[in-house]
Amino acid sequence: RNLAEIAKKLSSRAGYAAGAGSLCPKHQEPLKLFCQEDRTAICVVCDRSHAHRAHTVAPIEEAAQECKEQIQSKLKSLKDERERLQVLKLAEEKRSQ
């Protein structure tokens, strides 16, 4: 029975190491939540701990999607700004010629 439990733990850890997720270094639980205040992934046990109890926590997939949307929005504004600067640069080059 002990060997079966050890094998089960090792196989679940191997699955997480292969990209299915990560384990909490403190509790060896899956990192399924994201603490907004600390900007870090946490496990369910950490969420209930004193350190994160009063913090805003969201499912990690939801937090990742929000971050992705923010990055895409900022990237779009940077591309727009780059395009605007290129137009100004071309206009200045024509003026200097």
Side-chain angles (χ1 to χ4, degrees), residues 75-92:
L75 181 61
K76 183 186 180 323
S77 66
L78 286 171
K79 284 180 179 178
D80 292 345
E81 180 68 10
R82 181 176 148 216
E83 187 176 306
R84 186 185 73 80
L85 291 172
Q86 285 177 336
V87 168
L88 289 174
K89 179 184 172 191
L90 286 174
E92 188 61 31

Side-chain angles (χ1 to χ4, degrees), residues 17-57:
S22 298
L23 295 177
C24 174
K26 196 174 197 179
H27 304 109
Q28 300 305 309
E29 293 287 329
L31 297 173
K32 293 183 177 183
L33 303 170
F34 186 77
C35 176
Q36 300 288 347
E37 281 78 1
D38 293 336
R39 308 289 295 165
T40 187
I42 61 173
C43 71
V44 177
V45 178
C46 288
D47 180 37
R48 300 292 178 221
S49 72
H50 183 69
H52 298 279
R53 190 175 300 149
H55 293 178
T56 304
V57 175

Side-chain angles (χ1 to χ4, degrees), residues 60 68 71 83:
I60 201 161
K68 183 178 177 181
I71 289 169
E83 187 176 306

